[in-house]
Amino acid sequence: NYPIVIQALFRYVSNNMEAAQAWELLRNSITSDDMLSVGVILNSFQSRDNGKLLAETYVELLLKKDRNKEQEKFFGIDMLIMLELYQKEFLKSKVESLFDTLIKENCFPFDELSEQVILIFSGERSMLHERLQASLLTLSLFLLLSPVRIKSGTSFVMMSYIQGFVLHVYDTVDRIRQEELIRSLLHLADEVSIAASCQKQKNHRQHLDTTCQTVHAVINSLAANNPASILRFKSMLLRRLTLNSHGAGCEQISSILVNLVDRGVGDGIDSTELMVLLQKLLFCSSGQRRDHLRQQTNKTDIEKVARGVVLATHMTQSPAFSSHDQECMYQWIQNILLPTNRRTVMAKIGSTGLNFLSQWSKKSERRAVFQQIKMILANTGLVQAKESYRSKNQVVFGYEETPSYFLQKDDSELSMKKRRHFLFCIDSYLQYKDVTNPSDWEDEVFWVYRLVNMYLEEGRLQRKSKWQPDGWLEALLELPLVEFKDTSKIEVFDKFNVDISTNVVSDHKETRLRVSIAKDNFLARKVQVEHLLRLLLGLCLSMSLSIAVLRNSHSHLNNMKATHDDQYMNNRRKIVLSRLLKYQFLKLYDLKKRIRILCALLLSIAVSLRRSFQKNDDLGGIIHQIDLLEEASKSAEIIVRSKLLFNFQCLPIDALKLCLIDELDDQCLLKTNETKDQLNMIVRLRTQLLQHAVTFSLENPGNDACMDPQVIIQSVSLVIKLFENANPNKRYHENKNSSHFEFRLIPLLSSYLGYITCAVNFVVQVFNDKPGECSSMLRNLIHNKDKLGDRDRLSLVFILFEQFLQLLPQSFDAVIALQVLEILSLLAQVDPVTLAPKALDACWRVMHTIYSNTAEYIETLPPCMAFKQISNRTLNSDVGDVVRKVLRMSIIKYAATRFRRPCKYVAIRESLLLLWSLLVITPTNVRDENAILSGLVDDLQAYVETPSGGCTTVGKKKKDNNKKASRTNHVSKIQSLDGSSLLIYIELTLHMIIAAFAIIEPCRITQCDSVPLGPFSHIQHFPLLFKRILLLIDQIVTVLPKRFVSLAYTACHQMLQLSVFKARQCVDWRQSQPLLSSSERKAGKHDNASIVYLEGLLKFFGISCVGVVIKFCQEARNRFTKATESGEEPDPFAANDSKLVALLMASERTLDTLRTIATHHNIVLPTCDLSTAHEKDQGALKRVTLNSSKVKGYHHERSTFDDHRVQKKRRLSPAIVMACQEESSDS
């Protein structure tokens, strides 16, 4: 009788509440196999009376469900109904939003939906089948496009589920729908592949590639399991491959066609047909089979040839082609890769040709393939023997002399052998290349890498252990010469080209000087754009070629263990090769540095050209040059960072670890009497290797490949010893050169601490999930392992925390101290109750005792891991949408901005961010935000009023570093605070006050000097601090930059918004508190929820938030009036009248909202009159303090309205609520 009951139930539904109750009843009562009831439910949406109401209510009901709860998960009937509603236009957007939410949360019910589809389509055909078939096809295409819509990315497991679901839909629907699905998939694959090839943003292109791969995987599965279904679209596939297939789409289509040949029957694809197609693709530009690349300049023809080589690669793997066909294919590819004119093959064609040769080597003699690769490399002219090289002009040779540190002095075996010396002729390779198309640079770079790498791999297999990589590792670089002529500073720019062999990485000032001189030369028409682009591409090619040599040299070093019988000679060879591997890494980092300098030069030139274009519109070709320079700079940065150095499919991580572990280098670092050049070389190499490992760990959060136990143990041991050697109390009096020694150690120590920080971050992330790995990592991080025993993980964390806490007094620079504080902040998240207060005190002490000695920016500063983790945890907690918005727009947005300033400024920034992070995780009963933030404002006010009051002499430290700085008695001021860093300090302190005000919550009454303070007293401190910051800004408004205008106005809007939010939050908290019983009243217990507290809070917000903002705007207008009357230029705050008006209107709206809240509770209306406010902070707080006699037993003495109407409705005990419910049910 369910169908009859459902019809009667739906007939009487007239509003949203009744519809929601009906749906809840039906979802828990109707089973999925009751097809009659399901049909009645689906037909009810066609009703003219309430069909739209039922549909909208059902969708809203599902949107409100919590999918994480087991009792609210989706049923199969839910998905059937959603499929029916998916066809209605007025609900399509909401249904799609629900589907995206399910996919994003990885809880889309694929199994339940598949079961329902099988159940429906196994019965007799009806109109329901037709409607569901259309919905299933639309849903399949919608799910395939999930990676494009969901920007956060779709997991590989989810995409595999989607692929299986689409295949299941294909098996379910009828033949007409199957053809429609295949046709839609083919069109979708083509459109997505074209969009991916045109997309410049990396993330969007990855999402499109994921969709394209999934679609082609579905088609490929259909071709393998049901080839007859794909054979009907044979002509479409052939046309797509011939005309416009791109990238991965070409690979997939070729695989589909080959699968159809393997299984083709009757009207299937014949092997001869594909051979004809292959011939058309390979020789599309000319009727001749040879030398066709001589006339091939069309980009479309190059892509067609590349697609033909891809098709040939798949055809060689298929047994459907005879040996004669395979030999014919090999000859065709050979003619493509080795033209008779010995010209270099195009990069796109060459890369696909190497894939073909790699597959061909599996079924033929490898030596013949090696000879082919050798001839291809010879045609490029990239590698030449030094003795046969013909010198030419307009080139520069890099790395002509290998530093003595990387050479073995008395190696008799090597001296007896004639070592071959090579030259990498980058300029000769680029002689016939078009460098004005940066979009093709990535293909060129990877073509060079793959060609040299494949040549060396095959050559090592041929020669086995006889290969000597020394000559390859010491090879010279032939680069194009770009002459920058300047009479006064010619030596500086000669270093950029001629003295590239010195391997000196320029500092920040020299880099800016080089860029400035080069820009002047370019704008004076002394240097052409093509010359700069040729040099930039040459440096990228040099890096790719060097990485290929490094990869094969490291593999050869690993294979030396079982090849040499003489263990002594084997060890000597290993030492020699390991030193040369370090030299190769040093060349890579030097090339990266020079690429960055050149990219900065190109961007600087583009900015200058854009400014000149704005002034003079008659300059021809300027826009094209600007776009070309910007695109070239961006392409080079992406190639170096994402494709080469931090792509460990190219650069092996084991080679980096091998260079990090060297006991001889460790001993040199600990010796103070070591030669300056040798020590600088070791420090520089170790620093850059560690930065490399740290950057890889940060860009790959889930990959711990760099966290090698041996490297971690060595890093911790070396850091402890370096801290001991660099102890300021010991070294400042023993050695006059100690300061120089410490300055050189700052980048190295910071790099080591950054590496340890990544290891500690891994420990924090897996502390609860992977206890075994966590304990092992903790034991590696602890230096003194003698007394560890069988301690648990938490005890190991405490030991590690104390180990790094003891290093803070020995820190001789703020950068080093901040790295240690970063480690302490990460460890404090494991046990915030015990460790967070200690880390908070340590952070406060470091800010007031340790100065930043480093003048320039270094790349080893803290990555703010603790701040990011704690801020993300705060955003994901139940803080409210208003608080999330304020946090994202204030302190989180500021921390996410790119900050490339001298270390002194960064020290203030990072220390304040760490201080706020530790404040958040410190338990409420321990932390004191008011005292700490008040201390920061006191330091700022002391500096503004007395500029020299809080600053010590630059470069010196306080005598007593171990003395704990008090938070209330500010004897020592913040060390890095001076005139240049004042703006950073003001900006971040303002963000901290707003963020702390956003996350603070009401609490129970506390005692202060035997006087009970209200539950909102701690909230009222933050508007007072905000008021003090605004007054300080008002004092120095004439020296503030224009960007502070938007900062101050945004901060005022946020404070007004938060004052309303906090007022409502306090009202909700007050209404949730229980009433005092008669016995508690007689005992004189204080009422936490007294109306007097709320009245004082609203009055306080009206004065200290709204009133202060209005006064700030009035002062700005007064300054504008005075400046106008005197004829002077007004300050930026006073000149922006539109923002002043908007801020005044927001203040009025905020005051109206506060008065509305006061009216609802029948209390005195708040005002914004500052004349009634007290000057002192404590006086402002004592105004809302209640005497004990005033609140004894009287909850609503001043509010009869709140007592009788509002309070009785909103503050009821659970027993009274239950009694009222029973009484209403009886009646």
Side-chain angles (χ1 to χ4, degrees):
N1 297 324
Y2 266 129
I4 300 175
V5 174
I6 293 173
Q7 290 178 352
L9 180 64
F10 283 158
R11 188 179 300 118
Y12 293 102
V13 170
S14 59
N15 54 47
N16 291 333
M17 183 178 297
E18 294 176 354
Q21 293 175 353
W23 283 124
E24 285 288 358
L25 178 64
L26 291 176
R27 289 183 71 249
N28 296 323
S29 303
I30 303 298
T31 58
S32 302
D33 55 351
D34 190 355
M35 300 311 301
L36 290 177
S37 300
V38 172
V40 172
I41 292 174
L42 297 181
N43 290 330
S44 65
F45 297 123
Q46 311 299 328
S47 173
R48 297 182 178 179
D49 298 331
N50 57 1
K52 186 175 181 181
L53 173 65
L54 291 172
E56 291 178 345
T57 307
Y58 187 81
V59 175
E60 293 293 338
L61 178 66
L62 292 185
L63 286 172
K64 295 178 182 179
K65 291 292 181 181
D66 187 2
R67 268 80 58 182
N68 295 325
K69 295 182 180 180
E70 182 67 23
Q71 62 272 21
E72 295 188 3
K73 67 178 183 180
F74 279 24
F75 305 116
I77 188 175
D78 294 326
M79 298 309 301
L80 283 180
I81 297 176
M82 295 305 292
L83 284 177
E84 174 68 19
L85 299 179
Y86 192 29
Q87 299 299 319
K88 298 184 179 298
E89 291 296 331
F90 66 94
L91 287 176
K92 192 170 185 178
S93 60
K94 291 185 178 181
V95 175
E96 290 180 347
S97 175
L98 178 61
F99 287 158
D100 282 339
T101 304
L102 294 174
I103 295 173
K104 191 182 300 183
E105 297 176 357
N106 292 327
C107 56
F108 194 94
F110 289 104
D111 297 336
E112 292 81 354
L113 181 57
S114 300
E115 292 176 0
Q116 285 297 120
V117 171
I118 293 174
L119 186 63
I120 292 176
F121 283 87
S122 60
E124 297 181 358
R125 296 187 60 83
S126 61
M127 292 298 297
L128 179 62
H129 291 74
E130 295 297 328
R131 296 206 304 262
L132 287 182
Q133 284 189 72
S135 300
L136 287 173
L137 294 185
T138 308
L139 177 62
S140 300
L141 299 177
F142 178 80
L143 292 177
L144 288 171
L145 288 170
S146 297
V148 182
R149 294 188 312 275
I150 304 174
K151 300 303 180 183
S152 58
T154 310
S155 63
F156 174 78
V157 178
M158 181 59 65
M159 295 307 298
S160 62
Y161 277 123
I162 293 175
Q163 179 181 343
F165 175 76
V166 176
L167 293 174
H168 178 71
V169 170
Y170 176 85
D171 296 334
T172 304
V173 298
D174 56 23
R175 182 176 178 179
I176 298 177
R177 299 290 185 180
Q178 287 178 347
E179 294 182 359
E180 182 182 349
L181 178 60
I182 294 175
R183 187 178 294 104
S184 300
L185 291 175
L186 291 173
H187 285 291
L188 178 63
D190 185 58
E191 292 176 1
V192 172
S193 62
I194 294 175
S197 63
C198 300
Q199 182 60 251
K200 294 183 179 180
Q201 295 186 8
K202 177 183 175 182
N203 293 334
H204 294 173
R205 188 169 62 250
Q206 288 179 350
H207 300 329
L208 291 169
D209 290 339
T210 302
T211 300
C212 186
Q213 292 173 7
T214 307
V215 173
H216 281 116
V218 172
I219 300 174
N220 207 353
S221 299
L222 293 177
N225 300 325
N226 191 5
S229 60
I230 305 297
L231 285 175
R232 292 192 294 270
F233 302 93
K234 176 184 64 175
S235 58
M236 182 182 294
L237 290 171
L238 295 175
R239 186 171 61 253
R240 294 289 168 82
L241 183 64
T242 306
L243 297 178
N244 55 0
S245 61
H246 299 268
C250 177
E251 293 277 351
Q252 296 289 346
I253 292 177
S254 300
S255 176
I256 293 170
L257 291 174
V258 171
N259 282 335
L260 294 178
V261 172
D262 290 345
R263 298 168 178 264
V265 290
D267 58 346
I269 299 179
D270 187 64
S271 60
T272 306
E273 188 175 357
L274 271 191
M275 289 295 293
V276 173
L277 174 64
L278 177 62
Q279 186 177 7
K280 290 181 180 179
L281 290 173
L282 292 178
F283 307 105
C284 57
S285 177
S286 174
Q288 300 178 358
R289 297 184 179 180
R290 298 183 178 181
D291 301 340
H292 73 286
L293 290 176
R294 179 181 303 174
Q295 303 174 357
Q296 185 175 343
T297 57
N298 192 351
K299 187 176 180 180
T300 305
D301 292 341
I302 296 175
E303 292 180 352
K304 284 185 178 181
V305 175
R307 291 198 292 270
V309 179
V310 170
L311 179 61
T313 305
H314 286 274
M315 291 168 65
T316 56
Q317 305 174 32
S318 173
F321 297 91
S322 63
S323 59
H324 179 268
D325 292 340
Q326 304 240 357
E327 287 293 335
C328 185
M329 281 188 282
Y330 178 72
Q331 291 297 328
W332 289 349
I333 301 298
Q334 186 178 6
N335 293 335
I336 295 292
L337 299 178
L338 293 171
T340 56
N341 58 359
R342 297 181 61 85
R343 289 287 298 273
T344 304
V345 69
M346 296 296 178
K348 289 185 177 180
I349 301 175
S351 298
T352 55
L354 292 179
N355 292 334
F356 177 86
L357 293 177
S358 178
Q359 292 293 333
W360 187 263
S361 63
K362 298 178 181 178
K363 60 174 63 179
S364 64
E365 187 179 359
R366 301 187 71 96
R367 183 177 296 274
V369 175
F370 172 70
Q371 292 300 324
Q372 297 290 331
I373 299 173
K374 184 177 180 180
M375 295 173 64
I376 295 173
L377 182 60
N379 286 348
T380 61
L382 270 172
V383 182
Q384 296 184 25
K386 189 175 182 181
E387 55 270 14
S388 61
Y389 174 76
R390 295 180 181 179
S391 60
K392 57 181 180 179
N393 299 326
Q394 299 300 319
V395 295
V396 58
F397 296 101
Y399 312 104
E400 291 183 293
E401 295 181 3
T402 305
S404 58
Y405 172 74
F406 300 106
L407 296 176
Q408 191 74 10
K409 297 180 180 179
D410 54 348
D411 196 335
S412 57
E413 182 187 4
L414 289 180
S415 61
M416 292 172 60
K417 294 183 178 180
K418 293 182 179 180
R419 183 188 303 171
R420 296 191 64 185
H421 296 279
F422 294 100
L423 190 69
F424 296 153
C425 303
I426 306 297
D427 183 71
S428 301
Y429 176 78
L430 293 174
Q431 186 175 1
Y432 302 103
K433 295 290 184 180
D434 181 17
V435 298
T436 59
N437 190 7
S439 60
D440 295 336
W441 285 9
E442 185 175 336
D443 296 330
E444 292 286 348
V445 169
F446 275 95
W447 155 241
V448 169
Y449 166 77
R450 293 202 58 198
L451 177 61
V452 176
N453 180 59
M454 194 169 179
Y455 169 76
L456 293 178
E457 285 182 350
E458 295 294 332
R460 288 192 298 111
L461 290 176
Q462 298 297 325
R463 301 194 62 184
K464 298 183 179 179
S465 61
K466 297 180 181 180
W467 182 60
Q468 297 293 337
D470 308 67
W472 290 83
L473 292 170
E474 298 181 49
L476 279 68
L477 291 178
E478 180 208 52
L479 294 169
L481 175 63
V482 180
E483 293 181 348
F484 297 96
K485 297 180 180 180
D486 187 89
T487 56
S488 60
K489 301 168 184 176
I490 187 171
E491 295 181 358
V492 176
F493 257 102
D494 280 349
K495 289 183 180 180
F496 188 78
N497 295 279
V498 178
D499 293 337
I500 195 172
S501 59
T502 57
N503 302 311
V504 178
V505 176
S506 61
D507 58 7
H508 194 56
K509 292 182 179 179
E510 187 178 353
T511 300
R512 286 184 294 179
L513 185 60
R514 292 178 179 183
V515 170
S516 176
I517 298 173
K519 184 177 68 175
D520 295 340
N521 279 265
F522 178 84
L523 296 178
R525 305 299 182 186
K526 296 180 181 179
V527 179
Q528 299 296 326
V529 176
E530 290 78 6
H531 295 167
L532 296 176
L533 298 182
R534 190 177 301 277
L535 177 59
L536 183 57
L537 179 56
L539 292 174
C540 294
L541 292 174
S542 302
M543 181 173 284
S544 66
L545 201 152
S546 301
I547 289 177
V549 174
L550 175 63
R551 180 183 182 87
N552 285 273
S553 300
H554 176 256
S555 300
H556 177 74
L557 180 62
N558 289 337
N559 296 331
M560 284 178 59
K561 297 179 181 179
T563 55
H564 283 280
D565 296 332
D566 191 348
Q567 188 67 25
Y568 173 74
M569 294 304 299
N570 190 18
N571 292 334
R572 291 182 65 83
R573 286 293 299 146
K574 285 184 179 180
I575 294 175
V576 172
L577 288 182
S578 61
R579 289 290 179 93
L580 290 177
L581 284 179
K582 294 178 184 179
Y583 178 54
Q584 195 74 359
F585 269 110
L586 200 60
K587 287 197 292 186
L588 287 175
Y589 299 140
D590 189 69
L591 288 171
K592 183 190 78 169
K593 182 70 175 180
R594 298 182 189 281
I595 289 173
R596 290 180 58 181
I597 293 174
L598 197 52
C599 289
L601 168 62
L602 296 182
L603 291 177
S604 179
I605 293 174
V607 172
S608 300
L609 290 178
R610 196 177 294 278
R611 291 173 180 172
S612 64
F613 177 74
Q614 293 174 355
K615 297 178 182 178
N616 186 3
D617 296 337
D618 296 331
L619 296 177
I622 294 295
I623 292 295
H624 175 69
Q625 287 190 356
I626 292 173
D627 296 339
L628 185 60
L629 292 171
E630 292 177 347
E631 186 181 0
S633 176
K634 186 176 181 180
S635 299
E637 290 279 0
I638 292 175
I639 290 172
V640 172
R641 187 170 185 85
S642 303
K643 304 297 182 181
L644 292 178
L645 276 183
F646 303 106
N647 180 9
F648 284 93
Q649 294 180 352
C650 298
L651 186 65
I653 185 64
D654 293 336
L656 192 145
K657 297 176 184 177
L658 177 66
C659 296
L660 277 173
I661 303 173
D662 192 335
E663 296 180 358
L664 297 177
D665 289 351
D666 295 348
Q667 295 174 5
C668 294
L669 288 173
L670 298 174
K671 291 179 182 178
T672 58
N673 56 354
E674 200 67 42
T675 60
K676 181 180 178 180
D677 294 337
Q678 186 174 0
L679 185 60
N680 283 339
M681 189 70 68
I682 299 173
V683 169
R684 177 185 167 202
L685 178 62
R686 281 288 179 88
T687 302
Q688 292 176 334
L689 287 171
L690 288 166
Q691 290 175 11
H692 195 167
V694 169
T695 307
F696 174 77
S697 298
L698 294 177
E699 293 188 355
N700 302 272
N703 195 332
D704 58 338
C706 289
M707 298 295 108
D708 185 77
Q710 191 175 358
V711 179
I712 292 175
I713 294 173
Q714 177 229 27
S715 301
V716 174
S717 176
L718 198 60
V719 163
I720 300 296
K721 293 177 181 178
L722 287 174
F723 266 98
E724 293 176 354
N725 287 355
N727 190 347
N729 298 328
K730 173 183 176 182
R731 303 204 41 81
Y732 272 103
H733 303 286
E734 293 181 358
N735 192 349
K736 295 181 180 180
N737 297 326
S738 60
S739 59
H740 178 68
F741 174 74
E742 292 175 4
F743 180 77
R744 285 181 298 174
L745 285 182
I746 288 176
L748 178 64
L749 261 178
S750 184
S751 300
Y752 267 117
L753 289 171
Y755 185 81
I756 296 173
T757 303
C758 293
V760 173
N761 183 44
F762 175 77
V763 168
V764 175
Q765 291 179 351
V766 303
F767 188 80
N768 295 322
D769 300 333
K770 302 177 181 179
E773 296 182 18
C774 178
S775 300
S776 177
M777 186 73 75
L778 285 170
R779 292 179 181 275
N780 294 331
L781 288 167
I782 296 175
H783 179 56
N784 189 5
K785 300 179 175 58
D786 298 335
K787 300 180 180 181
L788 292 183
D790 297 332
R791 296 179 180 268
D792 58 348
R793 288 172 295 157
L794 190 59
S795 301
L796 294 176
V797 169
F798 290 158
I799 296 174
L800 184 61
F801 185 89
E802 293 296 331
Q803 171 183 302
F804 285 99
L805 187 62
Q806 294 173 3
L807 296 180
L808 278 180
Q810 304 176 22
S811 301
F812 50 87
D813 189 87
V815 173
I816 305 301
L818 284 173
Q819 290 282 60
V820 179
L821 282 175
E822 181 78 23
I823 296 173
L824 297 179
S825 302
L826 289 171
L827 292 174
Q829 299 180 53
V830 177
D831 188 3
V833 177
T834 307
L835 301 180
K838 296 181 180 179
L840 186 62
D841 292 335
C843 184
W844 185 265
R845 190 164 60 249
V846 164
M847 291 174 59
H848 289 79
T849 56
I850 302 179
Y851 188 79
S852 177
N853 295 305
T854 309
E856 291 298 329
Y857 178 84
I858 59 177
E859 298 182 358
T860 56
L861 293 170
C864 288
M865 294 183 188
F867 174 80
K868 291 179 181 178
Q869 294 177 6
I870 294 171
S871 58
N872 290 336
R873 192 181 309 159
T874 305
L875 292 176
N876 294 330
S877 61
D878 189 15
V879 293
D881 295 335
V882 176
V883 176
R884 290 191 188 94
K885 181 180 178 181
V886 171
L887 290 178
R888 288 194 179 102
M889 297 302 296
S890 59
I891 192 168
I892 295 178
K893 181 180 179 180
Y894 178 80
T897 55
R898 189 176 181 183
F899 196 84
R900 192 175 182 85
R901 299 283 182 85
C903 290
K904 180 174 59 176
Y905 308 150
V906 181
I908 281 188
R909 177 179 183 266
E910 304 298 332
S911 58
L912 289 176
L913 290 177
L914 282 175
L915 187 70
W916 186 84
S917 305
L918 293 169
L919 273 174
V920 173
I921 64 173
T922 304
T924 308
N925 57 347
V926 179
R927 71 186 184 199
D928 192 357
E929 305 99 327
N930 300 328
I932 291 179
L933 295 176
S934 299
L936 295 177
V937 178
D938 290 341
D939 285 334
L940 179 61
Q941 189 171 6
Y943 181 82
V944 171
E945 294 175 355
T946 308
S948 60
C951 301
T952 58
T953 305
V954 176
K956 294 183 180 180
K957 292 185 282 292
K958 294 290 180 181
K959 295 182 179 179
D960 190 4
N961 286 340
N962 296 324
K963 184 177 180 180
K964 182 178 179 180
S966 174
R967 297 178 187 168
T968 56
N969 187 14
H970 299 278
V971 179
S972 60
K973 305 302 179 182
I974 293 181
Q975 295 295 301
S976 298
L977 178 60
D978 56 12
S980 55
S981 60
L982 177 64
L983 301 180
I984 301 172
Y985 188 91
I986 294 176
E987 185 174 1
L988 193 48
T989 304
L990 186 60
H991 287 313
M992 290 177 64
I993 293 173
I994 295 174
F997 184 46
I999 63 176
I1000 198 69
E1001 293 181 354
C1003 65
R1004 294 178 298 175
I1005 293 180
T1006 56
Q1007 296 289 333
C1008 179
D1009 298 330
S1010 301
V1011 178
L1013 297 179
F1016 314 134
S1017 60
H1018 59 293
I1019 299 178
Q1020 297 170 356
H1021 282 282
F1022 300 102
L1024 294 176
L1025 295 175
F1026 179 74
K1027 174 184 176 182
R1028 293 177 62 186
I1029 288 286
L1030 282 186
L1031 292 177
L1032 288 173
I1033 292 176
D1034 199 37
Q1035 293 180 20
I1036 58 175
V1037 66
T1038 56
V1039 298
L1040 292 177
K1042 291 184 178 180
R1043 66 181 181 88
F1044 262 74
V1045 177
S1046 299
L1047 171 67
Y1049 288 143
T1050 303
C1052 290
H1053 280 288
Q1054 290 174 347
M1055 286 298 294
L1056 294 174
Q1057 187 179 11
L1058 286 175
S1059 63
V1060 174
F1061 176 77
K1062 288 299 167 184
R1064 290 172 175 169
Q1065 187 182 39
C1066 292
V1067 169
D1068 295 338
W1069 177 86
R1070 174 179 175 269
Q1071 293 172 356
S1072 65
Q1073 302 302 307
L1075 292 170
L1076 293 181
S1077 63
S1078 58
S1079 59
E1080 290 174 338
R1081 292 184 182 183
K1082 294 179 181 178
K1085 184 177 179 180
H1086 295 283
D1087 186 8
N1088 292 347
S1090 176
I1091 195 66
V1092 182
Y1093 294 126
L1094 182 61
E1095 180 183 354
L1097 179 71
L1098 296 178
K1099 190 175 182 180
F1100 182 84
F1101 281 164
I1103 295 173
S1104 297
C1105 288
V1106 181
V1108 168
V1109 172
I1110 292 176
K1111 184 179 178 181
F1112 180 75
C1113 296
Q1114 291 174 350
E1115 292 291 336
R1117 284 192 166 182
N1118 293 336
R1119 291 196 304 271
F1120 180 78
T1121 304
K1122 292 180 181 179
T1124 305
E1125 293 175 354
S1126 60
E1128 299 176 355
E1129 184 179 357
D1131 58 82
F1133 288 86
N1136 202 327
D1137 187 65
S1138 60
K1139 291 189 176 182
L1140 282 174
V1141 173
L1143 191 56
L1144 286 172
M1145 294 178 64
S1147 302
E1148 294 177 0
R1149 290 194 299 268
T1150 303
L1151 185 61
D1152 292 341
T1153 305
L1154 294 176
R1155 288 179 174 178
T1156 302
I1157 296 174
T1159 303
H1160 288 169
H1161 291 80
N1162 195 22
I1163 56 180
V1164 179
L1165 300 181
T1167 63
C1168 59
D1169 187 8
L1170 293 177
S1171 61
T1172 60
H1174 291 276
E1175 293 289 335
K1176 302 295 182 181
D1177 296 349
Q1178 293 297 327
L1181 293 178
K1182 288 181 180 179
R1183 287 191 304 105
V1184 297
T1185 304
L1186 300 179
N1187 296 326
S1188 57
S1189 60
K1190 189 173 183 180
V1191 295
K1192 281 185 179 180
Y1194 298 97
H1195 296 267
H1196 312 288
E1197 184 179 358
R1198 300 175 56 189
S1199 177
T1200 56
F1201 175 82
D1202 184 65
D1203 187 19
H1204 292 91
R1205 297 184 183 181
V1206 178
Q1207 195 65 21
K1208 291 299 182 182
K1209 293 181 180 179
R1210 300 185 182 179
R1211 292 182 60 194
L1212 299 177
S1213 63
I1216 298 177
V1217 173
M1218 293 179 63
C1220 293
Q1221 290 178 351
E1222 293 177 357
E1223 182 179 355
S1224 62
S1225 62
D1226 294 341
S1227 61

